Every structure is written in C-alpha cells, then in structure tokens.
Amino acid sequence: MKKINPVISIILIIILAIAGYMFLRRNDEPKKSTFFAFDTIINLTVAGEDAQAVLDECEREIYRLDKLFNVHSPQSEISFLNENAAQSPVKVSQELYGLIKRSVEYSKDTHGAFDITIKPLVDLWDVKSGKNIVPSQSDIEANLKKVSYNDILLYPEWEIGFSSADTKIDLGAVAKGYATDRLCEIIKNSSCHWALLDLGGNIYCVGDREFSIGIQDPKGERGEYFRVIKVKNTSVVTGGGYERGFEKDGRYYHHIISPYDGYPADSGLESVTVKGTSSEMCDAFSTAVFVHGKDLAKELSAKNKDISFIIMDKNGNAEEIK
C-alpha cells in the first residue's frame, strides 16, 4: 500500500479544518426577526446553530403572551378578569396570577407610583387615539378614585377578585418586561451563543457578547443618544414622556399617567433608564421613578443591589444612581 505523503496529509487536515470552521461560522450567523406585538415593533437578533428555530419559538411565545395580557382584546385573559372579578373571584392562569401578584408588590415598593389599576385614567386620557383632548378636572377626580392596587384581592388557588366594581387592570407598564424575561429564558435554554432582544424600549443583551446600548436623548431626534453604555447579560429599560403625547394650548401631555393626581406625571424627569437582570422589574421601576422622582431611584437602588438607574431631568442633567 502506498503511503500518503505527509505534506499532503497536512494540507488535507488544514482544508478540512477550514471547511469545518466555515461550516460552523455559516451556521453561527445571526438571524433576525421583526414583527408587531404588544403594541410595538419587536426586533430580535439571535446567533447560534439553531438561531432560526429559536427565533420562531420566541415569536410564538410573544404572540401567546400578547393573547394573555392584551387589555384591548376582548378575548384576552386580562379582559376576562376585568369584566368578572368584581362579581366573584376569577380563577386565572398561574402566569397571570404571578405577574399581578408581583405587580402589587412593586406598588408597595414604590409607594403606589406604579399601579396596574391605572386603566380608568389611561382610558380617560386616551393619548394613543390622537384626539388630543384634555379631560375635565371633575372627570379626572372621578376616575382617580377608581385607582388603587389595594382593591386587588389575591386568593389561594390562583383566584383574583376586585373589591370595587370600578377596578380595571392594565399591564402595559410591566407585560413587556415579563415577556422579555421569558424570551431570555428561551435563549439561555438553547444552544445559541448570544441574543439582542428589543421589545420597543425593553432591551435584553443575552449571552457571551458585550453590547453597546445607546440611551435616547429625550430632546433629540430618534437615534440621538445622550449616553452609550456597555452591558452583558443585562436588561436595559428606558421610559419617558417624550415617547408618546400631544400638545394642547402650549402644554405637552404625555402617556404616563400618575396614580397620585390623575395627570401626566410631572416629577421633574425627562427619562428614566433602569439596568438589571429582571426586565420585568426594570420595566415597573422605570415607570415608578418617572412618576415619583429621583428620590425613589435612590431608595430602590439601595434596596435592590441588582439594579441601577440613569436619569435625565428637565434641565438636561443626567445622573447615574446605583
């Protein structure tokens, strides 16, 4: 038998190694998906051998959660709860029960600045409609009385009731955060190396890659950042009144309504960014601090070493609190 020339053997090994590397690299190319859910544009980027399958699973999960939490859909579980919980306790899924229970805890932790029973006031202002109507003081005061997380009654066996017939829940300030965390779990349980999840301002950087995330300048054009931060395996959630609102008689009215007085929040802040490992908590606390103000950011960061804040006030001054 002829012996193979050692030089040829080495060349063959190199060729096979290069081919293997190129094959793995081709299968490791990031895959992207863009679609609409949770009333926002969702952009997902995943890198790994099974990236497309993972993206498909993430998309299915988003649509599943949207059906649970979409307060605008009469068929959603949250809508069924809103319609019936004042008459008698309603048995809900463990998933919805858990999110509502944690939301009540967020309310307690934030002195009521975060409150999922804000729906009557959100509906009254109806900022999304484009009608640009400022409600009367009497209507605001009447609907403000309907808002209180203390009216949510949590029973054993996943049952929830309302102590007031006026209570209505809106999970808009926390559902995207929960959904982001669920996608993060899917990524971590897959063979993918990293992912960048962007659910309309709720961002999660997952895996072994460090990302540079820009924080929108509230007074600038879309894509103009006042700070860029580097994060890894971290959620970054930014909220502010600049995102959605209208101007009337020389005054700007935004979509984040305060459960304290029933008006768009006016705590002296333009934007609040929260960093942490729980996107759900970051989501809730970004709203709460925007409503309550800078002092709450200091209080929450002192109690939760896992989170930190970057806030900008109305004078354009930025500050990091951790």
Side-chain angles (χ1 to χ4, degrees), residues 227 273 275 294 297-311 319-322:
R227 185 169 296 187
T273 296
K275 297 186 294 179
K294 175 176 152 181
K298 294 179 178 179
E299 181 182 334
L300 292 173
S301 61
K303 291 179 179 177
N304 302 273
K305 298 303 181 182
D306 181 51
I307 64 171
S308 61
F309 296 83
I310 299 173
I311 60 174
E319 180 181 353
E320 186 166 5
I321 300 172
K322 56 184 178 178

PDB file of all heavy atoms in Angstrom, residues 227 273 275 294 297-311 319-322:
ATOM      1  N   ARG A 227     -26.121  59.136  26.064  1.00  0.00           N
ATOM      2  CA  ARG A 227     -25.134  58.271  26.699  1.00  0.00           C
ATOM      3  C   ARG A 227     -25.182  56.897  26.048  1.00  0.00           C
ATOM      4  O   ARG A 227     -26.238  56.428  25.631  1.00  0.00           O
ATOM      5  CB  ARG A 227     -25.395  58.150  28.202  1.00  0.00           C
ATOM      6  CG  ARG A 227     -24.329  57.360  28.951  1.00  0.00           C
ATOM      7  CD  ARG A 227     -24.478  57.483  30.452  1.00  0.00           C
ATOM      8  NE  ARG A 227     -24.280  58.855  30.904  1.00  0.00           N
ATOM      9  CZ  ARG A 227     -24.223  59.216  32.188  1.00  0.00           C
ATOM     10  NH1 ARG A 227     -24.376  58.302  33.139  1.00  0.00           N
ATOM     11  NH2 ARG A 227     -24.045  60.467  32.519  1.00  0.00           N
ATOM     12  N   THR A 273     -33.836  55.370  32.824  1.00  0.00           N
ATOM     13  CA  THR A 273     -33.306  54.104  32.327  1.00  0.00           C
ATOM     14  C   THR A 273     -32.946  53.232  33.521  1.00  0.00           C
ATOM     15  O   THR A 273     -32.318  53.702  34.471  1.00  0.00           O
ATOM     16  CB  THR A 273     -32.055  54.336  31.457  1.00  0.00           C
ATOM     17  OG1 THR A 273     -32.428  55.087  30.301  1.00  0.00           O
ATOM     18  CG2 THR A 273     -31.441  53.013  31.009  1.00  0.00           C
ATOM     19  N   LYS A 275     -31.208  49.494  34.666  1.00  0.00           N
ATOM     20  CA  LYS A 275     -30.410  48.320  34.298  1.00  0.00           C
ATOM     21  C   LYS A 275     -30.564  47.252  35.374  1.00  0.00           C
ATOM     22  O   LYS A 275     -30.535  47.566  36.564  1.00  0.00           O
ATOM     23  CB  LYS A 275     -28.929  48.682  34.161  1.00  0.00           C
ATOM     24  CG  LYS A 275     -28.600  49.663  33.069  1.00  0.00           C
ATOM     25  CD  LYS A 275     -27.091  49.845  32.935  1.00  0.00           C
ATOM     26  CE  LYS A 275     -26.490  50.515  34.173  1.00  0.00           C
ATOM     27  NZ  LYS A 275     -25.027  50.666  34.051  1.00  0.00           N
ATOM     28  N   LYS A 294     -36.659  61.378  41.434  1.00  0.00           N
ATOM     29  CA  LYS A 294     -35.286  60.910  41.659  1.00  0.00           C
ATOM     30  C   LYS A 294     -35.088  60.222  43.004  1.00  0.00           C
ATOM     31  O   LYS A 294     -34.351  59.238  43.109  1.00  0.00           O
ATOM     32  CB  LYS A 294     -34.368  62.127  41.539  1.00  0.00           C
ATOM     33  CG  LYS A 294     -32.920  61.893  41.850  1.00  0.00           C
ATOM     34  CD  LYS A 294     -32.174  63.198  41.570  1.00  0.00           C
ATOM     35  CE  LYS A 294     -30.948  63.312  42.424  1.00  0.00           C
ATOM     36  NZ  LYS A 294     -30.228  64.580  42.168  1.00  0.00           N
ATOM     37  N   ALA A 297     -35.592  56.531  42.947  1.00  0.00           N
ATOM     38  CA  ALA A 297     -34.489  55.790  42.317  1.00  0.00           C
ATOM     39  C   ALA A 297     -33.417  55.479  43.353  1.00  0.00           C
ATOM     40  O   ALA A 297     -32.874  54.367  43.390  1.00  0.00           O
ATOM     41  CB  ALA A 297     -33.910  56.588  41.156  1.00  0.00           C
ATOM     42  N   LYS A 298     -33.097  56.430  44.187  1.00  0.00           N
ATOM     43  CA  LYS A 298     -32.095  56.215  45.239  1.00  0.00           C
ATOM     44  C   LYS A 298     -32.572  55.151  46.226  1.00  0.00           C
ATOM     45  O   LYS A 298     -31.797  54.288  46.652  1.00  0.00           O
ATOM     46  CB  LYS A 298     -31.818  57.531  45.970  1.00  0.00           C
ATOM     47  CG  LYS A 298     -31.153  58.591  45.109  1.00  0.00           C
ATOM     48  CD  LYS A 298     -30.924  59.874  45.906  1.00  0.00           C
ATOM     49  CE  LYS A 298     -30.210  60.922  45.056  1.00  0.00           C
ATOM     50  NZ  LYS A 298     -30.002  62.182  45.804  1.00  0.00           N
ATOM     51  N   GLU A 299     -33.833  55.212  46.582  1.00  0.00           N
ATOM     52  CA  GLU A 299     -34.391  54.249  47.535  1.00  0.00           C
ATOM     53  C   GLU A 299     -34.395  52.841  46.963  1.00  0.00           C
ATOM     54  O   GLU A 299     -34.004  51.871  47.641  1.00  0.00           O
ATOM     55  CB  GLU A 299     -35.816  54.676  47.902  1.00  0.00           C
ATOM     56  CG  GLU A 299     -36.504  53.776  48.902  1.00  0.00           C
ATOM     57  CD  GLU A 299     -37.930  54.208  49.199  1.00  0.00           C
ATOM     58  OE1 GLU A 299     -38.247  55.413  49.042  1.00  0.00           O
ATOM     59  OE2 GLU A 299     -38.738  53.328  49.568  1.00  0.00           O
ATOM     60  N   LEU A 300     -34.825  52.703  45.706  1.00  0.00           N
ATOM     61  CA  LEU A 300     -34.922  51.381  45.094  1.00  0.00           C
ATOM     62  C   LEU A 300     -33.545  50.773  44.840  1.00  0.00           C
ATOM     63  O   LEU A 300     -33.357  49.559  45.016  1.00  0.00           O
ATOM     64  CB  LEU A 300     -35.700  51.468  43.785  1.00  0.00           C
ATOM     65  CG  LEU A 300     -37.186  51.810  43.915  1.00  0.00           C
ATOM     66  CD1 LEU A 300     -37.802  52.038  42.536  1.00  0.00           C
ATOM     67  CD2 LEU A 300     -37.941  50.706  44.655  1.00  0.00           C
ATOM     68  N   SER A 301     -32.588  51.573  44.411  1.00  0.00           N
ATOM     69  CA  SER A 301     -31.245  51.041  44.153  1.00  0.00           C
ATOM     70  C   SER A 301     -30.567  50.629  45.453  1.00  0.00           C
ATOM     71  O   SER A 301     -29.770  49.682  45.469  1.00  0.00           O
ATOM     72  CB  SER A 301     -30.387  52.076  43.411  1.00  0.00           C
ATOM     73  OG  SER A 301     -30.223  53.256  44.189  1.00  0.00           O
ATOM     74  N   ALA A 302     -30.886  51.310  46.558  1.00  0.00           N
ATOM     75  CA  ALA A 302     -30.320  50.934  47.860  1.00  0.00           C
ATOM     76  C   ALA A 302     -30.875  49.590  48.331  1.00  0.00           C
ATOM     77  O   ALA A 302     -30.162  48.796  48.956  1.00  0.00           O
ATOM     78  CB  ALA A 302     -30.613  52.019  48.886  1.00  0.00           C
ATOM     79  N   LYS A 303     -32.141  49.314  48.003  1.00  0.00           N
ATOM     80  CA  LYS A 303     -32.786  48.069  48.426  1.00  0.00           C
ATOM     81  C   LYS A 303     -32.519  46.912  47.461  1.00  0.00           C
ATOM     82  O   LYS A 303     -32.599  45.744  47.857  1.00  0.00           O
ATOM     83  CB  LYS A 303     -34.295  48.278  48.538  1.00  0.00           C
ATOM     84  CG  LYS A 303     -34.720  49.189  49.671  1.00  0.00           C
ATOM     85  CD  LYS A 303     -36.243  49.341  49.686  1.00  0.00           C
ATOM     86  CE  LYS A 303     -36.709  50.237  50.817  1.00  0.00           C
ATOM     87  NZ  LYS A 303     -38.183  50.436  50.793  1.00  0.00           N
ATOM     88  N   ASN A 304     -32.217  47.238  46.195  1.00  0.00           N
ATOM     89  CA  ASN A 304     -32.012  46.205  45.172  1.00  0.00           C
ATOM     90  C   ASN A 304     -30.646  46.424  44.522  1.00  0.00           C
ATOM     91  O   ASN A 304     -30.518  47.219  43.589  1.00  0.00           O
ATOM     92  CB  ASN A 304     -33.112  46.284  44.101  1.00  0.00           C
ATOM     93  CG  ASN A 304     -34.504  46.131  44.665  1.00  0.00           C
ATOM     94  OD1 ASN A 304     -35.016  45.036  44.809  1.00  0.00           O
ATOM     95  ND2 ASN A 304     -35.144  47.254  44.992  1.00  0.00           N
ATOM     96  N   LYS A 305     -29.638  45.720  45.028  1.00  0.00           N
ATOM     97  CA  LYS A 305     -28.269  45.910  44.536  1.00  0.00           C
ATOM     98  C   LYS A 305     -28.112  45.476  43.085  1.00  0.00           C
ATOM     99  O   LYS A 305     -27.127  45.809  42.428  1.00  0.00           O
ATOM    100  CB  LYS A 305     -27.298  45.123  45.421  1.00  0.00           C
ATOM    101  CG  LYS A 305     -27.278  45.585  46.876  1.00  0.00           C
ATOM    102  CD  LYS A 305     -26.926  47.065  46.978  1.00  0.00           C
ATOM    103  CE  LYS A 305     -26.889  47.534  48.429  1.00  0.00           C
ATOM    104  NZ  LYS A 305     -26.605  48.988  48.545  1.00  0.00           N
ATOM    105  N   ASP A 306     -29.093  44.746  42.576  1.00  0.00           N
ATOM    106  CA  ASP A 306     -29.033  44.233  41.213  1.00  0.00           C
ATOM    107  C   ASP A 306     -29.371  45.293  40.170  1.00  0.00           C
ATOM    108  O   ASP A 306     -29.103  45.102  38.989  1.00  0.00           O
ATOM    109  CB  ASP A 306     -30.004  43.053  41.079  1.00  0.00           C
ATOM    110  CG  ASP A 306     -29.982  42.438  39.691  1.00  0.00           C
ATOM    111  OD1 ASP A 306     -28.884  42.128  39.202  1.00  0.00           O
ATOM    112  OD2 ASP A 306     -31.053  42.281  39.096  1.00  0.00           O
ATOM    113  N   ILE A 307     -29.973  46.406  40.584  1.00  0.00           N
ATOM    114  CA  ILE A 307     -30.426  47.400  39.608  1.00  0.00           C
ATOM    115  C   ILE A 307     -29.721  48.745  39.809  1.00  0.00           C
ATOM    116  O   ILE A 307     -29.231  49.060  40.893  1.00  0.00           O
ATOM    117  CB  ILE A 307     -31.950  47.614  39.670  1.00  0.00           C
ATOM    118  CG1 ILE A 307     -32.366  48.202  41.020  1.00  0.00           C
ATOM    119  CG2 ILE A 307     -32.691  46.325  39.383  1.00  0.00           C
ATOM    120  CD1 ILE A 307     -33.804  48.640  41.053  1.00  0.00           C
ATOM    121  N   SER A 308     -29.683  49.512  38.739  1.00  0.00           N
ATOM    122  CA  SER A 308     -29.156  50.874  38.787  1.00  0.00           C
ATOM    123  C   SER A 308     -29.940  51.732  37.809  1.00  0.00           C
ATOM    124  O   SER A 308     -30.636  51.217  36.928  1.00  0.00           O
ATOM    125  CB  SER A 308     -27.662  50.907  38.448  1.00  0.00           C
ATOM    126  OG  SER A 308     -27.430  50.429  37.140  1.00  0.00           O
ATOM    127  N   PHE A 309     -29.839  53.043  37.969  1.00  0.00           N
ATOM    128  CA  PHE A 309     -30.639  53.985  37.180  1.00  0.00           C
ATOM    129  C   PHE A 309     -29.746  55.005  36.490  1.00  0.00           C
ATOM    130  O   PHE A 309     -28.699  55.402  37.017  1.00  0.00           O
ATOM    131  CB  PHE A 309     -31.618  54.743  38.081  1.00  0.00           C
ATOM    132  CG  PHE A 309     -32.654  53.889  38.746  1.00  0.00           C
ATOM    133  CD1 PHE A 309     -32.356  53.202  39.919  1.00  0.00           C
ATOM    134  CD2 PHE A 309     -33.926  53.754  38.216  1.00  0.00           C
ATOM    135  CE1 PHE A 309     -33.305  52.411  40.545  1.00  0.00           C
ATOM    136  CE2 PHE A 309     -34.887  52.969  38.834  1.00  0.00           C
ATOM    137  CZ  PHE A 309     -34.570  52.291  40.007  1.00  0.00           C
ATOM    138  N   ILE A 310     -30.181  55.429  35.327  1.00  0.00           N
ATOM    139  CA  ILE A 310     -29.629  56.613  34.667  1.00  0.00           C
ATOM    140  C   ILE A 310     -30.820  57.512  34.374  1.00  0.00           C
ATOM    141  O   ILE A 310     -31.719  57.131  33.619  1.00  0.00           O
ATOM    142  CB  ILE A 310     -28.884  56.274  33.367  1.00  0.00           C
ATOM    143  CG1 ILE A 310     -27.696  55.351  33.653  1.00  0.00           C
ATOM    144  CG2 ILE A 310     -28.391  57.559  32.681  1.00  0.00           C
ATOM    145  CD1 ILE A 310     -27.007  54.835  32.410  1.00  0.00           C
ATOM    146  N   ILE A 311     -30.847  58.674  34.999  1.00  0.00           N
ATOM    147  CA  ILE A 311     -31.996  59.564  34.837  1.00  0.00           C
ATOM    148  C   ILE A 311     -31.561  60.878  34.199  1.00  0.00           C
ATOM    149  O   ILE A 311     -30.410  61.303  34.325  1.00  0.00           O
ATOM    150  CB  ILE A 311     -32.680  59.855  36.194  1.00  0.00           C
ATOM    151  CG1 ILE A 311     -31.714  60.530  37.156  1.00  0.00           C
ATOM    152  CG2 ILE A 311     -33.220  58.564  36.807  1.00  0.00           C
ATOM    153  CD1 ILE A 311     -32.351  60.980  38.463  1.00  0.00           C
ATOM    154  N   GLU A 319     -27.794  61.751  35.398  1.00  0.00           N
ATOM    155  CA  GLU A 319     -27.169  61.253  36.641  1.00  0.00           C
ATOM    156  C   GLU A 319     -27.358  59.742  36.711  1.00  0.00           C
ATOM    157  O   GLU A 319     -28.415  59.219  36.387  1.00  0.00           O
ATOM    158  CB  GLU A 319     -27.813  61.920  37.849  1.00  0.00           C
ATOM    159  CG  GLU A 319     -27.252  61.469  39.185  1.00  0.00           C
ATOM    160  CD  GLU A 319     -27.941  62.138  40.373  1.00  0.00           C
ATOM    161  OE1 GLU A 319     -28.764  63.045  40.134  1.00  0.00           O
ATOM    162  OE2 GLU A 319     -27.639  61.745  41.512  1.00  0.00           O
ATOM    163  N   GLU A 320     -26.293  59.053  37.150  1.00  0.00           N
ATOM    164  CA  GLU A 320     -26.385  57.616  37.381  1.00  0.00           C
ATOM    165  C   GLU A 320     -26.547  57.350  38.859  1.00  0.00           C
ATOM    166  O   GLU A 320     -25.822  57.921  39.690  1.00  0.00           O
ATOM    167  CB  GLU A 320     -25.143  56.897  36.847  1.00  0.00           C
ATOM    168  CG  GLU A 320     -25.254  55.386  36.919  1.00  0.00           C
ATOM    169  CD  GLU A 320     -24.207  54.654  36.111  1.00  0.00           C
ATOM    170  OE1 GLU A 320     -23.312  55.336  35.546  1.00  0.00           O
ATOM    171  OE2 GLU A 320     -24.289  53.424  36.039  1.00  0.00           O
ATOM    172  N   ILE A 321     -27.491  56.497  39.185  1.00  0.00           N
ATOM    173  CA  ILE A 321     -27.784  56.167  40.583  1.00  0.00           C
ATOM    174  C   ILE A 321     -27.663  54.661  40.744  1.00  0.00           C
ATOM    175  O   ILE A 321     -28.388  53.904  40.103  1.00  0.00           O
ATOM    176  CB  ILE A 321     -29.193  56.636  40.987  1.00  0.00           C
ATOM    177  CG1 ILE A 321     -29.320  58.152  40.824  1.00  0.00           C
ATOM    178  CG2 ILE A 321     -29.525  56.219  42.408  1.00  0.00           C
ATOM    179  CD1 ILE A 321     -30.730  58.672  41.010  1.00  0.00           C
ATOM    180  N   LYS A 322     -26.753  54.239  41.613  1.00  0.00           N
ATOM    181  CA  LYS A 322     -26.577  52.795  41.836  1.00  0.00           C
ATOM    182  C   LYS A 322     -26.115  52.534  43.254  1.00  0.00           C
ATOM    183  O   LYS A 322     -25.812  53.455  43.998  1.00  0.00           O
ATOM    184  CB  LYS A 322     -25.596  52.220  40.827  1.00  0.00           C
ATOM    185  CG  LYS A 322     -24.226  52.878  40.791  1.00  0.00           C
ATOM    186  CD  LYS A 322     -23.396  52.273  39.685  1.00  0.00           C
ATOM    187  CE  LYS A 322     -22.024  52.952  39.582  1.00  0.00           C
ATOM    188  NZ  LYS A 322     -21.187  52.362  38.544  1.00  0.00           N
TER     189      LYS A 322
END
